[in-house]
Amino acid sequence: MDRQRGYTLIEVIVAFAVLGLGLMLLLGTLSNGTRQVRWAAESGRAALHARSLLDDVGIAVPITPGQSAGTFEDGRYRWTLEIAPFVDPDAPPALAAPDGDGLFELTLAVDWGEAGPRERLRLQTLRLRAPDAAAMVVP
């Protein structure tokens, strides 16, 4: 009697197990890739909103010390803007602007999603507040 050559049941089960493990690893990698793309898109949109808001400071939003907050895209992105006078620790106190004009430090925080460490953008910049035009009247 000739023996037929073929695969045993054990070999077929091992082959399916290896195939299943390979597919599981592949799907995990694809899932992680889509998560990274989504995070990049959300952080990019947060940066665009932050840039837009910072561009308005000094034009549409007055440079006055204090804190303000708001949202973008119906609450999807939340922001907090803090404006404080900037004091250079290396400059002598005599150079400080006594009339309140001068440099101001703007700190903008934008959060989205669960506001975890990867879902938070924090920006700091300096802005010069020009003296009021009415105060510059020459006699």
Side-chain angles (χ1 to χ4, degrees):
M1 194 167 186
D2 290 335
R3 291 188 58 159
Q4 291 185 341
R5 302 212 52 141
Y7 295 106
T8 64
L9 184 58
I10 289 278
E11 291 172 331
V12 171
I13 290 174
V14 168
F16 274 116
V18 169
L19 178 66
L21 182 65
L23 287 175
M24 194 168 57
L25 291 174
L26 178 66
L27 289 177
T29 303
L30 291 175
S31 174
N32 191 29
T34 58
R35 193 176 14 246
Q36 292 291 334
V37 168
R38 186 179 68 238
W39 175 81
E42 288 176 347
S43 62
R45 289 192 62 79
L48 287 173
H49 287 308
R51 176 63 189 247
S52 173
L53 184 64
L54 285 176
D55 285 346
D56 282 347
V57 174
I59 298 171
V61 176
I63 301 176
T64 55
Q67 186 173 0
S68 58
T71 61
F72 294 115
E73 295 186 18
D74 296 328
R76 184 173 178 190
Y77 295 93
R78 299 161 305 279
W79 60 268
T80 305
L81 176 65
E82 185 176 335
I83 302 174
F86 177 74
V87 179
D88 187 0
D90 297 331
L95 294 179
D99 56 357
D101 292 327
L103 280 177
F104 285 82
E105 182 177 19
L106 282 62
T107 304
L108 177 63
V110 179
D111 297 322
W112 65 93
E114 299 296 319
R118 290 182 47 99
E119 296 169 331
R120 182 174 298 138
L121 176 66
R122 187 166 187 256
L123 302 170
Q124 288 182 296
T125 188
L126 296 175
R127 288 289 162 89
L128 179 64
R129 181 170 70 182
D132 293 332
M136 296 183 63
V137 175
V138 179

